Amino acid sequence: MTTVLDSIIDGVREDLAARQEQVPLATIRQQAATQPPALDALQALQTGRTDTAGVRIIAEVKRSSPSKGALAQIADPGALAAAYQAGGASVISVLTEPRRFGGSLDDLAAVRAAVDIPVLRKDFMVEEYQFHEARAYGADLVLLIVAALDDAQLRDFLALTHDLGMNALVEAHTEEEIERAVAVGARIVGVNVRNLKTLDVDVNHYSAMARHLPPELVQVAESGVTGPDQVLDYARQGADAVLVGEALVKHGNPTEAVRSFRAASLAKEAQ
């Protein structure tokens, strides 16, 4: 049976083939090599455990989603990213998949030019070309979705990511996927409470999966955030960082929203 994830990846491959016709791999590799070194996203996210500023927020530039449709216009993604940074975001996530999420590589470039914190290319990474492409457009961090890759791809793509000086947010949804991420040496592992094969969301899924995450990893809670209370809940369950998209782009005051999410997580020790 074809899943939502399968359908998205089919479209990703079609769009990727068209870009490769316009810009060959050798060219995109050269463009990537001219970029300044990637920023250290691992350090930006892992320090959340040791300081008193709350969990790290990965704030997302996200126009639409397969489950909700259009979310926000976002005429100026750079300005939105700058507002997130002003609120205390540690990383900016940029959707670059156009068909279901309304994103683009131009959005990635605009965000990179607007902020001086790490930037995540949020896409469905299935071929080597995309990793050089991410670096060419200024990404410091890429998303690797365990459910979309076999073990050899996951291992090889993680190694390529590190060879290019970037870090990877390795996304899992099940205990088996967490085990696969750990086995290949992932340093940053996210648990997405949205099942990408069905698009169902269960915020309680994070607590069920978090117990399987080794403590030395940077642990990221993804999806399901509607407000500060959910950020606090994830923080209490051990998340070092929380990735938030819809709740930020629809808020109206992104700077204040990020600030409030980080402040809420400071209550994690309170009972």
Side-chain angles (χ1 to χ4, degrees):
M1 182 180 70
T2 300
T3 67
V4 175
L5 179 60
D6 293 331
S7 178
I8 292 173
I9 290 175
D10 286 344
V12 166
R13 290 189 182 279
E14 288 181 15
D15 293 340
L16 176 57
R19 294 200 305 278
Q20 287 178 295
E21 285 189 5
Q22 295 180 336
V23 183
L25 176 60
T27 302
I28 204 70
R29 287 172 66 106
Q30 290 173 352
Q31 292 174 356
T34 66
Q35 291 296 315
L39 300 177
D40 191 343
L42 178 66
Q43 183 181 45
L45 293 173
Q46 69 187 169
T47 51
R49 294 186 189 183
T50 58
D51 67 16
T52 58
V55 298
R56 296 315 200 212
I57 299 297
I58 304 173
E60 195 154 81
V61 176
K62 182 178 185 180
R63 290 189 172 87
S64 62
S65 75
S67 61
K68 297 290 185 67
L71 299 174
Q73 293 290 332
I74 313 183
D76 189 342
L80 177 59
Y84 288 156
Q85 181 175 352
S90 296
V91 171
I92 307 298
S93 171
V94 184
L95 268 300
T96 59
E97 194 282 328
R99 299 189 183 206
R100 304 292 187 99
F101 295 91
S104 71
L105 288 162
D106 288 340
D107 286 352
L108 181 61
V111 169
R112 173 71 285 155
V115 301
D116 56 11
I117 56 177
V119 176
L120 163 66
R121 180 186 182 181
K122 184 91 173 290
D123 210 318
F124 299 80
M125 309 293 281
V126 291
E127 290 192 21
E128 176 189 349
Y129 184 95
Q130 294 169 288
F131 294 83
H132 299 284
E133 191 178 52
R135 195 78 274 280
Y137 280 83
D140 310 289
L141 183 67
V142 295
L143 180 71
L144 296 180
I145 301 174
V146 176
L149 304 169
D150 62 33
D151 287 343
Q153 290 172 318
L154 188 59
R155 181 187 63 248
D156 292 347
F157 287 162
L158 184 60
L160 175 59
T161 299
H162 293 159
D163 287 345
L164 292 171
M166 297 185 292
N167 282 288
L169 169 56
V170 182
E171 178 178 295
H173 183 74
T174 66
E175 180 180 353
E176 185 263 343
E177 289 176 5
I178 291 172
E179 291 173 353
R180 291 177 58 204
V182 172
V184 298
R187 303 169 186 170
I188 307 169
V189 176
V191 172
N192 195 343
V193 302
R194 183 186 303 279
N195 185 330
L196 291 181
K197 296 180 180 180
T198 64
L199 301 184
D200 295 334
V201 174
D202 176 8
V203 294
N204 296 317
H205 188 66
Y206 186 81
S207 62
M209 292 298 105
R211 66 175 64 100
H212 302 293
L213 293 169
E216 66 272 16
L217 299 181
V218 173
Q219 303 175 15
V220 182
E222 302 178 47
S223 301
V225 174
T226 56
D229 288 349
Q230 188 57 51
V231 174
L232 171 58
D233 190 43
Y234 285 148
R236 283 178 169 165
Q237 294 169 48
D240 299 298
V242 178
L243 190 151
V244 190
E246 180 181 350
L248 290 176
V249 298
K250 296 174 70 174
H251 186 275
N253 187 334
T255 297
E256 180 54 36
V258 173
R259 189 176 290 127
S260 69
F261 289 169
R262 294 200 71 190
S265 71
L266 293 173
K268 66 181 178 180
E269 302 301 331
Q271 299 296 328

